[in-house]
């Protein structure tokens, strides 16, 4: 069964260097945003990386297939990749901003080499709060994305955060 999808306006207006954040309370709030973001990224001929989080990945893929007749070709060509956090962020026992920034730079350069217009990436980061110093790493990561990445690389990003996992301080 396909969950209700509604196009989210303006995600198709994102351009290289744009960084947006989805703050949500439950999984239902993420599906339409993710479908709209991924669909727009593929239409701009960007390589698209989706890093798993709270959203049911199988449901997301089924909804994309339902809303884009040719979606399977994007999977087969690896223009869109569905990755676990272990394949990307969690490269060690804790999350560190610098290695992730370096990984995104590398993926952006590879996307250009492969003939894409750039890289779009969306990832769930709320789980970083489970690590010692997680709050600081999230703040550092968001700052470093803006400082080191978006003015220099053709990257569009949608960071996702479940607000229920944050305390009032952050």
């Amino acid at each position: 069964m396909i969950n209700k999808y509604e196009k989210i306006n303006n995600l198709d207006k994102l351009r290289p260097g744009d960084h947006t954040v989805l703050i949500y309370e439950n999984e239902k709030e993420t599906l339409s945003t993710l479908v709209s973001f991924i669909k727009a990224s593929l239409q701009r001929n960007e390589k698209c990386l989706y890093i798993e989080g709270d959203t049911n990945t199988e449901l997301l893929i089924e909804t994309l297939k339902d809303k884009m007749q040719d979606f399977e070709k994007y999977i087969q060509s690896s223009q869109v990749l569905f990755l676990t956090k272990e394949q990307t962020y969690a490269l060690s026992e804790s999350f560190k901003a610098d290695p992730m920034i370096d990984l995104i730079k590398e993926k952006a350069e590879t996307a250009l080499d492969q003939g894409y217009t750039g890289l779009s990436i969306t990832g769930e980061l709320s789980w970083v709060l489970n690590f010692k110093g997680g709050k600081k790493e999230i703040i550092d990561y968001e700052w470093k994305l803006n400082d080191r990445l978006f003015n220099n690389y053709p990257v569009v990003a949608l960071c996702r955060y479940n607000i229920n996992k944050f305390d009032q301080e952050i």
Side-chain angles (χ1 to χ4, degrees):
M1 177 176 123
I2 301 297
N3 224 3
K4 185 177 178 191
Y5 161 77
E6 294 178 22
K7 181 183 179 210
I8 304 297
N9 292 323
N10 296 324
L11 288 177
D12 57 339
K13 303 210 181 339
L14 294 173
R15 297 290 172 251
D18 287 343
H19 175 204
T20 189
V21 175
L22 174 63
I23 297 174
Y24 64 93
E25 290 187 74
N26 59 60
E27 177 185 2
K28 292 177 192 174
E29 297 174 333
T30 65
L31 186 67
S32 290
T33 302
L34 289 169
V35 170
S36 296
F37 179 80
I38 292 169
K39 189 174 177 182
S41 297
L42 295 173
Q43 290 170 342
R44 289 189 302 264
N45 193 38
E46 296 167 347
K47 179 118 182 177
C48 185
L49 302 181
Y50 169 82
I51 303 168
E52 293 179 354
D54 291 348
T55 303
N56 179 322
T57 303
E58 308 309 322
L59 177 61
L60 174 61
I61 291 170
E62 288 305 313
T63 305
L64 284 161
K65 286 179 180 177
D66 182 60
K67 299 303 172 190
M68 296 180 71
Q69 291 178 346
D70 54 354
F71 186 71
E72 193 65 43
K73 81 174 185 180
Y74 295 111
I75 293 175
Q76 290 173 356
S77 69
S78 297
Q79 184 173 349
V80 63
L81 296 173
F82 292 87
L83 306 169
T84 65
K85 67 183 181 201
E86 290 79 16
Q87 292 171 298
T88 53
Y89 299 128
L91 304 175
S92 66
E93 292 295 316
S94 65
F95 175 82
K96 296 292 181 203
D98 290 325
M100 190 60 202
I101 299 293
D102 291 341
L103 179 66
I104 296 171
K105 287 177 182 178
E106 176 188 318
K107 296 292 186 186
E109 290 170 349
T110 300
L112 290 175
D113 290 345
Q114 293 172 337
Y116 298 107
T117 58
L119 176 73
S120 64
I121 183 169
T122 178
E124 168 68 46
L125 290 160
S126 305
W127 60 272
V128 173
L129 295 171
N130 298 330
F131 291 128
K132 181 179 180 184
K135 286 184 215 178
K136 182 181 181 321
E137 281 301 321
I138 286 175
I139 293 166
D140 286 351
Y141 178 65
E142 291 291 336
W143 181 83
K144 288 175 182 180
L145 281 172
N146 290 319
D147 185 60
R148 298 181 187 171
L149 195 69
F150 295 119
N151 291 328
N152 304 308
Y153 293 85
V155 176
V156 177
L158 170 67
C159 295
R160 306 183 319 264
Y161 293 100
N162 183 329
I163 195 69
N164 297 315
K165 296 182 181 178
F166 288 86
D167 59 30
Q168 291 296 324
E169 180 183 60
I170 197 150

